[in-house]
Amino acid sequence: MKRINGMLFVSIIPFFILIALFLFIPLFSMIYASFQGDGGTGFTFNQYAEIFQNFYYHQAFKNSIMISLLSSLIAMVMAIFAAYSITLFSKNIQDRILIFANLTSNFAGIPLAFAFIVLLGNSGLFTLLFRAWGWETLSSFNLYSWSGLILIYVYFQLPLAVMLLYPVYQGVQAGWKEAASLLGASSLQFWVRIGAPVMLPSVAGTFSILFANAMGAYASAYALTGSTYNLVTIRVGALTTGDIFARPELGSALAVLLGLTLIIAMFINEWLTRKVRRDLL
Amino acid sequence: MSYVTIENINKSFNDQQVLHNLNLAFEEGEFVTLLGPSGCGKSTLLRILAGLTTPEAGIIKIDGKDVTNVKPKDRKVGMVFQSYALFPNMTVEENIAFGLKMQKMNKEVIAKKVSRMIELVELKGKEKAYPRELSGGQQQRVALARSLVTEPKVLLLDEPLSALDAQIRKNLQKLLRSLQQELNMTTVLVTHDQEEAMAVSDRIYILNAGHIAQEGKPHDIYTRPANEFVARFIGNYNVLTKKQISLLIKDESQFTHDLYAVRPEAFGSEFIMDGYKISGKVQNIMPLGNITRYEIVSGGVAVTVEHLHKSYEKLQENELKTLYINKEDVIPLT
Ligand SMILES: Nc1ncnc2c1ncn2[C@@H]1O[C@H](COP(=O)(O)OP(=O)(O)O)[C@@H](O)[C@H]1O
Ligand SMILES: [Mg+2]
């Protein structure tokens, strides 16, 4: 028994080293740097003070939160219906659709932006096609705008949302549906009174993940709009890689605040869920 | 005309026929049990009655009305599942009130009915508890109350007690039977446990591979099994061929059927005037608490014998023993 435990312990050491190297050390050095003056000149709150006073950074947070909320919401609503539809297929087809969703959810970043540019950019395939057919409203769609950005975000959020929600439907027992119907409930009444409340915690959890996924997205936005769109991740990128001049300490402070936003969002989510599902205390 | 009739029901899954042209009828207020081994089609039949599964052919009538094509929610049928299927996001009260709320019943009436039902199933004090805070037996009582409170025309129970341990199962059997009598509820119970079936039912249908093997009152089924399947499934009948029984009893002329069944407790040590006599060696003695079970071997044939345990009557392995049995306790099978 002792020996096996010892072996187990040894075998998870690489895992701990990995976590330390790629999670804790970067995290702590980021937090540490955020309390340093430019160039690492001693402890100070100056970086945070600057962020709180600078309208430009307020706007970055506002934009990031807006696009994350909006794209998560749209993806969530679509996924609720999409995942349900998937459960109606035979097991075989369900598996195939999930593989497809898995693939597409990993299709993000610069390749995704490029794919969209090829299809919907100023001289994109569909843009030209719509123009040729005289579909003005569609051909005048501007990919490099706010709505273009939302479209791309929704595109990489949707498959993730579907994959996370699909198992949640499996958790809604067929027995509950049958019991409800024998007690006189319609399908809608079942979903409103039992299905939805039962799924709510997982749906809320999925929303948190989507929100974080969007808040942290960088490459697709950067590839599509350069640094013209003011998002927190693009600001952090610019400050650390030094598009104009590098200020890694300020970038670190922004990143810490981004992380805090995610944590706060998670707590709000959790709190709201518990208010609705009193039985989960 | 019976209260519930099931006529010529056929059902297949993936080309495999599960129910073979079944005909059953239940009277109003009757407690009927569908008894059979696992996989014989009991649940399927019950689900067809509830409208949760569609039969390929046949007619279901409840209270004189053809409900074959009526949706489950409009059949006025209550059902309790082995898995309880309580709504996890609702309290005991809310679970029980659910069906009445669906009927848009007045709030005060609902409250009154729910609290009476909670009393009936002995769950007072648990009104505000959530299902996960209850034991299995308590959960099943909530499920029972949830179905009963809507006053369904027929109450269907699919192995409601099978997941519970023996003591709680016995108690709930009593509760179930007394509630059923009090409310005069037409009830159909599905179970694979023959003791349970005997304990609670007015009448039993024994199912075997989608056919009805026998139908009758518990006592009649127990004392008069109609065929080998029932004899083996009910109790621990000795099933003997014509040859075996002739060797055992040494009276060939009497036995014309191919198979005979004899209950182990039908043998006795006292002389019976017009009965059969068997003598043989005692083997494999097993004290089972209040009964003793052993085998008598005679003419190379072994039969199982059971009688009440008597401490003054010491049995010896290989001892020679003579037993008697009534002629009508040697039951010919078809
Ligand atoms: N939905 C289904 N799909 C395919 N086969 C099924 C389905 N339901 C039941 N069966 C089959 O029908 C037979 C009878 O099942 P069931 O009625 O559940 O038996 P019981 O309740 O007597 O144990 C079994 O062989 C089972 O595998
Ligand atoms: Mg079953």
Side-chain angles (χ1 to χ4, degrees):
Chain A
M1 206 51 209
K2 271 258 144 61
R3 267 187 60 141
I4 293 174
N5 280 342
M7 285 293 287
L8 273 179
F9 185 73
V10 169
S11 69
I12 53 172
I13 284 178
F15 174 69
F16 281 124
I17 293 176
L18 221 65
I19 288 195
L21 281 180
F22 291 98
L23 188 66
F24 287 110
I25 294 177
L27 181 65
F28 289 127
S29 67
M30 178 182 82
I31 294 172
Y32 176 78
S34 74
F35 289 106
Q36 295 284 314
D38 287 347
T41 53
F43 181 86
T44 171
F45 285 111
N46 281 350
Q47 309 295 1
Y48 288 98
E50 184 174 343
I51 295 169
F52 282 113
Q53 282 157 13
N54 193 331
F55 169 77
Y56 194 50
Y57 294 127
H58 297 183
Q59 195 201 33
F61 271 100
K62 210 181 97 194
N63 285 347
S64 273
I65 292 174
M66 277 302 290
I67 196 165
S68 302
L69 276 180
L70 207 61
S71 67
S72 305
L73 203 69
I74 295 172
M76 199 74 206
V77 170
M78 289 168 78
I80 283 174
F81 291 101
Y84 179 68
S85 321
I86 294 174
T87 63
L88 303 179
F89 284 107
S90 75
K91 192 84 199 95
N92 218 332
I93 295 176
Q94 289 185 26
D95 289 343
R96 276 156 214 233
I97 296 177
L98 285 185
I99 291 172
F100 185 71
N102 202 338
L103 277 174
T104 44
S105 72
N106 280 304
F107 186 47
I110 294 167
L112 177 66
F114 186 67
F116 266 86
I117 290 168
V118 167
L119 294 177
L120 289 170
N122 283 337
S123 45
L125 194 64
F126 283 110
T127 316
L128 296 180
L129 211 58
F130 293 146
R131 201 166 296 152
W133 289 341
W135 294 2
E136 274 314 310
T137 32
L138 279 177
S139 69
S140 63
F141 174 76
N142 182 2
L143 183 64
Y144 310 102
S145 67
W146 180 246
S147 29
L149 206 55
I150 288 185
L151 180 70
I152 286 203
Y153 270 58
V154 168
Y155 183 87
F156 69 73
Q157 297 264 63
L158 182 60
L160 181 64
V162 167
M163 276 202 311
L164 291 171
L165 279 184
Y166 169 76
V168 178
Y169 278 103
Q170 314 284 312
V172 177
Q173 292 174 19
W176 294 335
K177 244 183 263 184
E178 294 177 349
S181 78
L182 285 167
L183 290 166
S186 67
S187 185
L188 181 67
Q189 281 169 320
F190 167 76
W191 283 108
V192 169
R193 285 168 181 272
I194 297 139
V198 165
M199 286 176 62
L200 179 72
S202 314
V203 169
T206 302
F207 192 82
S208 278
I209 293 172
L210 292 184
F211 182 74
N213 190 35
M215 284 295 279
Y218 167 63
S220 6
Y222 185 76
L224 192 65
T225 62
S227 48
T228 52
Y229 258 100
N230 188 11
L231 298 173
V232 178
T233 44
I234 288 181
R235 287 286 74 77
V236 174
L239 286 168
T240 46
T241 58
D243 244 9
I244 308 157
F245 49 90
R247 291 183 63 193
E249 292 80 12
L250 184 60
S252 294
L254 270 177
V256 169
L257 290 177
L258 178 66
L260 278 179
T261 313
L262 294 183
I263 293 173
I264 292 169
M266 225 172 65
F267 274 111
I268 293 177
N269 205 333
E270 185 90 342
W271 177 75
L272 278 175
T273 306
R274 278 177 196 272
K275 272 196 82 140
V276 178
R277 280 287 300 275
R278 283 160 301 135
D279 61 305
L280 288 180
L281 288 176
Chain B
M1 173 96 187
S2 298
Y3 191 62
V4 178
T5 58
I6 296 170
E7 296 164 20
N8 305 316
I9 291 289
N10 278 297
K11 178 70 191 174
S12 306
F13 288 114
N14 316 321
D15 292 337
Q16 188 161 358
Q17 195 158 358
V18 172
L19 300 179
H20 300 263
N21 208 38
L22 292 184
N23 287 284
L24 299 88
F26 315 138
E27 300 307 322
E28 188 165 9
E30 196 179 24
F31 196 131
V32 179
T33 296
L34 308 180
L35 174 63
S38 178
C40 71
K42 308 179 296 288
S43 295
T44 305
L45 181 56
L46 206 65
R47 293 171 58 82
I48 287 175
L49 196 48
L52 298 171
T53 299
T54 327
E56 272 112 48
I59 296 172
I60 310 266
K61 286 184 191 156
I62 298 176
D63 197 7
K65 205 178 122 202
D66 183 344
V67 295
T68 316
N69 296 311
V70 174
K71 280 189 190 160
K73 77 188 202 57
D74 302 319
R75 282 198 187 190
K76 296 207 170 63
V77 159
M79 185 155 172
V80 174
F81 301 84
Q82 181 178 352
S83 61
Y84 321 133
L86 294 180
F87 307 135
N89 58 319
M90 297 184 192
T91 60
V92 166
E93 257 178 356
E94 290 166 343
N95 263 287
I96 298 176
F98 186 83
L100 301 177
K101 268 191 200 147
M102 292 299 106
Q103 296 175 11
K104 305 237 171 357
M105 207 174 265
N106 175 310
K107 270 213 175 80
E108 283 149 41
V109 180
I110 293 182
K112 214 174 280 173
K113 283 181 184 257
V114 168
S115 94
R116 166 156 183 267
M117 205 33 92
I118 285 179
E119 240 164 76
L120 276 181
V121 297
E122 298 158 16
L123 277 173
K124 247 183 138 24
K126 294 284 181 197
E127 291 88 345
K128 305 276 183 241
Y130 285 97
R132 62 177 173 78
E133 298 167 331
L134 302 176
S135 70
Q138 289 170 330
Q139 291 189 46
Q140 199 54 295
R141 277 183 277 157
V142 177
L144 190 59
R146 182 177 68 178
S147 290
L148 283 175
V149 78
T150 60
E151 294 166 25
K153 290 187 164 167
V154 187
L155 177 65
L156 307 178
L157 308 162
D158 192 356
E159 312 232 10
L161 311 179
S162 299
L164 305 171
D165 52 46
Q167 192 56 46
I168 294 168
R169 197 159 66 218
K170 290 257 152 55
N171 291 340
L172 275 183
Q173 282 168 8
K174 276 192 205 128
L175 179 72
L176 197 60
R177 179 62 172 166
S178 71
L179 271 178
Q180 185 267 337
Q181 303 259 285
E182 186 171 338
L183 305 172
N184 194 35
M185 177 69 65
T186 311
T187 303
V188 185
L189 170 73
V190 156
T191 182
H192 64 263
D193 176 350
Q194 31 99 4
E195 266 184 57
E196 183 168 292
M198 297 284 166
V200 299
S201 324
D202 293 318
R203 208 151 51 84
I204 297 176
Y205 283 91
I206 296 184
L207 263 67
N208 177 23
H211 296 276
I212 294 172
Q214 193 174 353
E215 172 272 320
K217 291 193 179 356
H219 178 263
D220 295 342
I221 286 191
Y222 188 65
T223 52
R224 294 283 139 200
N227 49 51
E228 183 181 2
F229 174 80
V230 176
R232 289 192 190 278
F233 190 68
I234 297 283
N236 306 303
Y237 270 93
N238 292 294
V239 177
L240 302 167
T241 60
K242 175 160 57 175
K243 190 165 170 225
Q244 285 174 320
I245 193 107
S246 311
L247 283 171
L248 197 67
I249 292 174
K250 301 179 183 70
D251 188 350
E252 293 196 21
S253 60
Q254 299 279 345
F255 304 111
T256 51
H257 281 73
D258 288 337
L259 281 177
Y260 289 84
V262 187
R263 260 177 302 132
E265 73 271 22
F267 297 96
S269 327
E270 274 116 55
F271 175 74
I272 297 173
M273 263 304 252
D274 211 18
Y276 297 123
K277 174 178 129 180
I278 66 170
S279 303
K281 258 194 202 166
V282 173
Q283 281 185 347
N284 295 327
I285 304 167
M286 261 196 282
L288 300 170
N290 62 336
I291 62 170
T292 304
R293 177 182 298 164
Y294 57 92
E295 282 175 1
I296 285 272
V297 185
S298 169
V301 181
V303 285
T304 305
V305 177
E306 285 177 3
H307 57 63
L308 285 173
H309 173 78
K310 297 186 189 97
S311 53
Y312 51 83
E313 199 184 76
K314 280 265 177 292
L315 269 176
Q316 295 286 336
E317 200 78 25
N318 290 324
E319 150 190 1
L320 272 178
K321 198 164 172 66
T322 302
L323 295 172
Y324 303 90
I325 185 167
N326 274 308
K327 280 190 174 164
E328 56 266 33
D329 280 334
V330 178
I331 304 158
L333 299 176
T334 49

